[in-house]
Amino acid sequence: SKFSKAFIPRVLGVLADSKPQVRQAAISCLNAWHAEITLVPFVEQELISNALATENPNLRIELFTWLEEKLPTVAEHSPELSLIVPHLLSCLEDRSSDVRKKAQLVLLLVKAKVDYNTMLQHTVKPTSKLVQHLFKKHYAAAPQAAAKLPPASASSTSSKGTIEKEDKANKIQKKEETK
């Protein structure tokens, strides 16, 4: 565990490689480290947060895929997972649709481990309309806390189209189900 801070960031950096075989070798290495030290040091030492700060779609997609596999093994009520929330939320607005999809899946897993108020404390301010929509959607049981979300900035209006498309798709699906 004492070497993880020096070694793991370089392994995470390899996830940005353009060759799938190289990225797969990095995933195998991460799996071996995870078997020895669990996921908590990855999060507490901010290794995952620092990797997600790198704006590389390959790295983010591979890391989110790996997290999808590992997060279910984390104990319930793991407040240390809140450390990845700011970067996770910023990935919800990534240019790559694959990164956005993976970020949404990981958000659901993190939501199951971190309570709403803890998530809210770690949001990036100002929160975009897309993030506000996802919080309200996934934390419908906490409407009083949903009102505490910071307002969307003017630059986040590009996510409005995404929200409208999702709402339109939900309405169409409900109409088809009622037929």
Side-chain angles (χ1 to χ4, degrees):
S1 168
K2 65 182 179 179
F3 297 109
S4 63
K5 200 167 191 171
F7 186 70
I8 293 176
R10 285 159 180 59
V11 174
L12 290 170
V14 173
L15 294 175
D17 196 281
S18 62
K19 297 177 184 158
Q21 302 89 341
V22 174
R23 293 193 309 263
Q24 189 55 44
I27 292 292
S28 297
C29 184
L30 289 174
N31 286 336
W33 272 90
H34 178 266
E36 294 296 320
I37 65 171
T38 72
L39 188 62
V40 174
F42 284 81
V43 176
E44 285 179 342
Q45 295 175 8
E46 297 188 16
L47 304 175
I48 292 175
S49 296
N50 292 339
L52 288 174
T54 305
E55 293 193 21
N56 182 294
N58 287 338
L59 184 146
R60 287 177 168 178
I61 291 168
E62 293 292 340
L63 186 53
F64 282 142
T65 302
W66 185 74
L67 284 171
E68 281 181 71
E69 180 184 316
K70 302 303 177 192
L71 281 173
T73 65
V74 175
E76 292 293 320
H77 307 294
S78 300
E80 66 274 356
L81 284 177
S82 65
L83 295 172
I84 68 170
V85 170
H87 295 292
L88 175 60
L89 294 177
S90 71
C91 289
L92 290 171
E93 298 184 279
D94 194 273
R95 288 183 294 205
S96 168
S97 64
D98 292 335
V99 171
R100 290 191 308 266
K101 288 175 190 174
K102 289 290 184 179
Q104 285 186 17
L105 294 172
V106 171
L107 178 65
L108 290 174
L109 295 170
V110 170
K111 176 188 93 71
K113 309 290 183 180
V114 179
D115 68 83
Y116 182 84
N117 290 326
T118 304
M119 290 277 283
L120 193 61
Q121 290 171 358
H122 289 82
T123 56
V124 178
K125 295 179 177 22
T127 307
S128 72
K129 290 181 181 182
L130 174 64
V131 173
Q132 287 179 5
H133 175 74
L134 288 171
F135 264 63
K136 288 176 184 174
K137 178 179 174 184
H138 296 302
Y139 285 105
Q144 71 282 2
K148 296 179 186 175
L149 280 173
S153 66
S155 64
S156 65
T157 55
S158 63
S159 61
K160 184 179 178 184
T162 306
I163 295 169
E164 290 173 355
K165 288 177 187 175
E166 186 177 310
D167 289 341
K168 192 179 275 188
N170 288 339
K171 289 177 184 177
I172 292 170
Q173 184 180 11
K174 286 179 183 178
K175 283 183 181 178
E176 290 176 358
E177 288 175 358
T178 57
K179 289 182 180 180

